[in-house]
């Protein structure tokens, strides 16, 4: 009986890890399921994100995202980066991408800038309150090989 329980637990853990690994590459697709409502602040109208149930379901979870490092504020900050699912010429700040294609990443350790695609893992935080920050923020993030 003990062996059956152990095998069941191992099977469940293995199935869960496979499902997580399969869904992880689609984090940008999941994050694209956002809509907006118009609100106001002291400076006028602004778009406030309305997160889908799928997005809310991954809030606080560890996710992986790949993309391109986008320099901001005129300089690269090695432990606080902007990651874009699109290359620089197409990103939200420089091209045709929407705000759902970028996220702030707070890294545990500084990294070196590269124009190549990178992959990070961190805990997803949603932001619909602070217009000075992006709506997706990864905290306690690490750079993956």
């Amino acid at each position: 009986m003990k062996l059956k329980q152990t095998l069941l637990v191992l099977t469940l853990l293995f199935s869960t890890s496979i499902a997580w690994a399969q869904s992880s590459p689609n984090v940008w697709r999941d994050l694209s399921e956002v809509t907006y409502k118009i609100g106001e602040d002291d400076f006028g109208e602004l778009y406030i994100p309305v997160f889908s149930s799928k997005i809310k379901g991954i809030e606080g979870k560890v996710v992986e995202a790949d993309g391109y490092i986008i320099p901001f504020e005129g300089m690269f900050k090695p432990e606080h980066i902007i990651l874009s699912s699109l290359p620089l010429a197409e990103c939200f700040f420089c091209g045709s991408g929407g705000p759902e294609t970028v996220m702030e990443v707070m890294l545990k350790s500084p990294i070196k800038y590269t124009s190549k695609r990178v992959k990070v893992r961190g805990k997803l935080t949603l932001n619909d309150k602070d217009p000075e920050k992006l709506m997706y923020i990864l905290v306690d993030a690490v750079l993956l090989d």
Side-chain angles (χ1 to χ4, degrees):
M1 184 68 173
K2 189 83 166 165
L3 179 61
K4 281 185 179 180
Q5 289 174 333
T6 303
L7 288 174
L8 178 62
V9 168
L10 288 174
T11 302
L12 287 173
L13 286 172
F14 182 70
S15 302
T16 304
S17 66
I18 287 176
W20 182 82
Q22 289 174 341
S23 67
S24 181
N26 299 321
V27 74
W28 288 115
R29 187 176 331 149
D30 293 345
L31 297 179
S32 71
E33 293 185 13
V34 64
T35 58
Y36 304 91
K37 64 182 180 183
I38 296 179
E40 284 193 35
D41 67 3
D42 295 339
F43 302 104
E45 286 187 349
L46 67 144
Y47 288 94
I48 300 169
V50 177
F51 302 113
S52 71
S53 57
K54 185 181 277 188
I55 295 170
K56 288 180 182 178
I58 58 175
E59 181 177 21
K61 301 249 183 348
V62 173
V63 299
E64 292 180 5
D66 64 333
Y68 300 91
I69 298 171
I70 305 299
F72 65 101
E73 295 181 15
M75 60 188 289
F76 170 71
K77 295 182 178 179
E79 53 291 310
H80 179 195
I81 64 170
I82 302 294
L83 187 71
S84 172
S85 64
L86 302 170
L88 186 62
E90 299 172 28
C91 87
F92 172 61
F93 302 104
C94 309
S96 59
E100 71 282 354
T101 64
V102 290
M103 66 175 60
E104 285 184 62
V105 180
M106 310 299 191
L107 293 148
K108 289 181 180 181
S109 302
I111 63 170
K112 292 182 180 181
Y113 176 78
T114 180
S115 59
K116 295 180 181 174
R117 196 168 195 73
V118 298
K119 186 180 240 182
V120 294
R121 179 187 300 137
K123 186 168 71 169
L124 181 67
T125 302
L126 303 179
N127 171 38
D128 61 358
K129 305 275 187 268
D130 185 354
E132 298 293 317
K133 297 238 172 230
L134 296 178
M135 63 183 166
Y136 301 126
I137 303 169
L138 275 190
V139 296
D140 297 326
V142 294
L143 181 68
L144 302 174
D145 292 330

